[in-house]
Amino acid sequence: MEHFDLIIVGAGLSGIGAAYHLKEKCPGKTFAILEGRDAIGGTWDLFRYPGIRSDSDMHTLGYAFKPWREAKAIADGPSIRRYVNETARENGIVEHIRFKHLVRNASWDSATARWTVESEHAERGERTSISCNFLFMCGGYYRYDRGYTPEFPGRETFQGTILHPQFWPEDFDCSGKRVIVIGSGATAMTLVPAMAEQAEHVTMLQRSPTYVVSRSDQDRIANTLRKWLPEKVAYAITRWKNVTLQKFFYNRTRVAPEKVKQQLLKMVSKALGEDYVKQHFTPDYNPWDQRLCLIPNEDLYQAIRSGKASVVTDEIEQFTPTGIRLKSGAELTADVIVTATGLELTVLSGVEFEVDGAAVNFPDTWAYKGMMYSDLPNMVQTFGYINASWTLRADLTCEYVCRLINRMDELGMRQCTPRLRPEDAGMQARPWIDDFSAGYMQRVMHLFPKQGDRDPWRNTQNYALDKKLIRNAPLEDGALQFTNPVTEDVPQPAEAERRQADAA
Ligand SMILES: Cc1cc2nc3c(=O)[nH]c(=O)nc-3n(C[C@H](O)[C@H](O)[C@H](O)COP(=O)(O)OP(=O)(O)OC[C@H]3O[C@@H](n4cnc5c(N)ncnc54)[C@H](O)[C@@H]3O)c2cc1C
């Protein structure tokens, strides 16, 4: 069987970043990237709906090691796709990718300290097995084969077109059409102004309001710094600025939620008037209890003010041949209905895991630093932030993996496994992500690993804390155990410690 030191699953932002870090910090290691699709970029290649863009700034959504060069900090999907592809090309990563290899199973064998990773060819369906010492899961957090769509009664009676943003037809033209976009998340907020440019009218139909903040899509400070300073220095300063501001703002939402709420609502009121804001932009939760929506240059407000778009806050009773009947009794007519109802989250990219022949049930496992799982050897997953840019955590995770692999080599150990310590017995379980009430998370939290109430079993979703826990904390913390297969003539931990002491 073909064998690599590492297998990375996924060639999106995270997988390409992982390969870069490996090449830089573990240059002797062999690796392959298994990617289920036939393209690089993940999210930024898959989503093609009108207006697709980031809703965090590219100075923190971009990699720490590759400055974002474009003037727009809130960038469109194609620019981000180009950036990820460029990273892969510039760093000789493309040749490591095996496209159309959808990973289905991963089985760990303690006797040989190896993973066997089985993937299915996306077209031919044939299965291939490759083994590796270490598995780095970078497959994102949602299903690629379907989005989340609730059951809408009467859906089949609607005589127009129904679209889901995850599967946007390439040549779809909404000119002169009446459109309803169901949803009030980032995707709906992006689609509404973008479609309003061509459509006769776009209605954003939401069950409940979301917090919205408008910002210029360009970061003036970043663009000025770039003129005067070396590119990397300017990028680092902007990144630091944005991380600091985001942290400050997020902390304020935790300690003074009511004040922040009033400030946010005041800003929207200035753009749309108090009555409109009371009706459609005043959520019944606190800011950042669910994801906050960032819009560039007031584009959504402008579309509403121009009369090309409007917001309706109501519940759907049923689809009708001509549109949607609402619980209030009102009827909306449409030629096109877009179900911007979200993603379907998945645990570890839907891969079935086994350790020594026993299936792994992730809800039974404890998250170690939000990256590894109790009793699963040599496996790390990248899972970014829901309250900050994904890549901040992806970069930290990659640094950790490289540090860990190099340390295992130094120790002469082939397995590292997080295990509960005696003092962790009876630890209180908390959801994988807590303090975040968004429906798309709540629907699936019972399928995810749990986190504990103490380090290193917490998944903090806090960049400052993660820097301490992931970047600076010692690798040998008593919970992460370094061992060798017992059946082989190789040193066990005590022996390795003796060798270390001798070497010192
Ligand atoms: C519309 C949209 C907008 C977003 N905007 C932002 C934003 O502004 N800021 C932010 O921080 N985050 C945002 N996110 C979250 C976003 O997913 C992350 O920013 C980031 O792109 C995740 O990168 P990733 O590589 O970890 O995962 P993905 O982009 O999901 O890429 C995963 C890759 O792994 C592959 N894969 C998955 N499973 C398997 C398998 N079993 N076998 C083989 N290959 C597999 C996929 O095909 C894909 O190529 C957004 C998400 C969406 C959907």
Side-chain angles (χ1 to χ4, degrees):
M1 193 188 307
E2 203 179 1
H3 182 81
F4 292 94
D5 292 320
L6 283 102
I7 288 179
I8 296 169
V9 176
L13 253 177
S14 304
I16 299 300
Y20 172 88
H21 281 268
L22 267 181
K23 289 189 96 170
E24 282 290 302
K25 302 188 185 85
C26 306
K29 297 292 174 195
T30 58
F31 72 93
I33 303 178
L34 301 182
E35 166 54 55
R37 301 176 68 243
D38 60 359
I40 292 172
T43 300
W44 304 105
D45 183 77
L46 176 75
F47 281 83
R48 301 290 179 122
Y49 58 77
I52 169 77
R53 58 164 170 80
S54 68
D55 61 354
S56 45
D57 69 278
M58 286 310 298
H59 300 99
T60 55
L61 186 58
Y63 302 114
F65 58 83
K66 182 174 165 64
W68 177 254
R69 297 199 173 100
E70 302 201 16
K72 282 189 181 177
I74 306 298
D76 57 64
S79 314
I80 306 175
R81 186 164 70 240
R82 270 199 307 278
Y83 174 82
V84 186
N85 273 279
E86 195 178 275
T87 310
R89 267 198 320 274
E90 282 172 354
N91 295 287
I93 292 168
V94 183
E95 41 272 42
H96 292 266
I97 307 174
R98 304 207 176 173
F99 292 104
K100 300 185 187 173
H101 279 60
L102 187 65
V103 176
R104 294 290 193 191
N105 302 294
S107 325
W108 172 259
D109 175 39
S110 293
T112 53
R114 283 183 171 194
W115 285 103
T116 300
V117 178
E118 192 183 34
S119 55
E120 183 182 313
H121 193 276
E123 279 154 14
R124 299 195 294 272
E126 75 203 12
R127 298 235 170 181
T128 318
S129 290
I130 309 179
S131 64
C132 65
N133 303 336
F134 204 100
L135 191 51
F136 196 175
M137 297 296 297
C138 297
Y141 63 107
Y142 61 86
R143 286 183 72 136
Y144 269 67
D145 57 346
R146 62 175 196 235
Y148 175 71
T149 316
E151 284 294 317
F152 294 119
R155 183 189 164 108
E156 64 296 342
T157 64
F158 179 61
Q159 284 169 0
T161 308
I162 301 178
L163 298 174
H164 192 285
Q166 199 162 327
F167 307 100
W168 202 264
E170 210 172 303
D171 50 0
F172 186 74
D173 181 8
C174 66
S175 304
K177 300 208 161 98
R178 291 158 305 167
V179 180
I180 299 174
V181 177
I182 304 173
S184 59
T187 303
M189 305 267 176
T190 304
L191 270 166
V192 170
M195 293 187 84
E197 284 174 18
Q198 268 104 42
E200 184 187 309
H201 185 83
V202 184
T203 306
M204 184 170 100
L205 171 58
Q206 58 178 14
R207 196 164 47 181
S208 55
T210 303
Y211 287 104
V212 184
V213 179
S214 173
R215 245 178 50 186
S216 164
D217 61 358
Q218 303 215 6
D219 182 331
R220 273 213 326 246
I221 297 179
N223 290 344
T224 309
L225 286 176
R226 269 195 318 165
K227 282 189 198 145
W228 300 105
L229 293 174
E231 188 178 55
K232 285 202 168 160
V233 177
Y235 184 59
I237 296 174
T238 307
R239 208 174 150 84
W240 174 84
K241 166 185 79 74
N242 291 358
V243 166
T244 309
L245 288 176
Q246 278 162 18
K247 188 172 92 182
F248 173 76
F249 178 66
Y250 181 75
N251 286 347
R252 290 235 342 127
T253 67
R254 304 295 90 187
V255 296
E258 194 49 41
K259 263 197 183 152
V260 178
K261 179 174 179 169
Q262 292 316 320
Q263 281 165 351
L264 292 177
L265 298 183
K266 206 166 141 190
M267 287 192 287
V268 195
S269 296
K270 261 194 191 160
L272 294 175
E274 257 178 50
D275 288 346
Y276 208 81
V277 171
K278 264 193 199 128
Q279 244 184 315
H280 304 302
F281 286 91
T282 309
D284 57 10
Y285 53 85
N286 286 327
W288 270 124
D289 282 356
Q290 299 189 14
R291 207 173 161 105
L292 194 138
C293 279
L294 178 67
I295 59 164
N297 311 323
E298 299 206 339
D299 63 354
L300 176 70
Y301 307 154
Q302 278 170 24
I304 294 170
R305 284 197 301 252
S306 73
K308 293 280 284 178
S310 55
V311 182
V312 171
T313 307
D314 205 327
E315 282 190 54
I316 295 173
E317 187 169 282
Q318 71 173 98
F319 281 28
T320 64
T322 54
I324 294 178
R325 184 174 310 128
L326 301 169
K327 290 228 165 118
S328 64
E331 300 242 357
L332 301 174
T333 50
D335 307 302
V336 180
I337 297 178
V338 183
T339 53
T341 40
L343 306 165
E344 191 169 316
L345 267 54
T346 181
V347 182
L348 283 142
S349 310
V351 175
E352 302 277 341
F353 280 83
E354 272 183 16
V355 173
D356 295 327
V360 176
N361 182 33
F362 279 98
D364 294 340
T365 66
W366 296 87
Y368 174 83
K369 301 189 184 220
M371 299 185 303
M372 297 178 81
Y373 303 100
S374 55
D375 302 328
L376 255 86
N378 295 19
M379 195 275 273
V380 169
Q381 179 197 17
T382 286
F383 196 104
Y385 293 116
I386 45 164
N387 52 13
S389 283
W390 181 273
T391 321
L392 291 174
R393 194 159 202 277
D395 272 338
L396 277 182
T397 307
C398 294
E399 277 178 33
Y400 182 85
V401 168
C402 294
R403 197 153 67 97
L404 184 56
I405 283 172
N406 289 336
R407 184 68 184 144
M408 286 168 78
D409 282 355
E410 279 166 18
L411 292 173
M413 291 289 141
R414 290 173 47 204
Q415 296 177 163
C416 60
T417 317
R419 300 213 192 267
L420 292 196
R421 302 158 298 186
E423 65 265 35
D424 298 324
M427 180 164 58
Q428 180 150 19
R430 290 155 54 207
W432 164 248
I433 304 246
D434 57 3
D435 207 16
F436 193 72
S437 59
Y440 70 96
M441 282 279 169
Q442 296 303 323
R443 279 196 295 273
V444 291
M445 267 312 93
H446 62 287
L447 304 174
F448 275 67
K450 53 202 168 191
Q451 61 165 313
D453 56 11
R454 67 198 71 167
D455 291 337
W457 305 107
R458 290 192 304 152
N459 180 18
T460 66
Q461 286 289 308
N462 177 319
Y463 185 51
L465 288 179
D466 273 349
K467 278 200 275 188
K468 286 188 197 143
L469 188 67
I470 298 174
R471 180 179 285 165
N472 300 327
L475 292 169
E476 285 119 312
D477 59 2
L480 189 63
Q481 296 185 3
F482 294 87
T483 55
N484 268 323
V486 281
T487 51
E488 287 186 19
D489 184 19
V490 284
Q492 291 303 310
E495 172 61 16
E497 274 166 29
R498 227 179 356 259
R499 284 189 196 175
Q500 284 276 306
D502 286 351

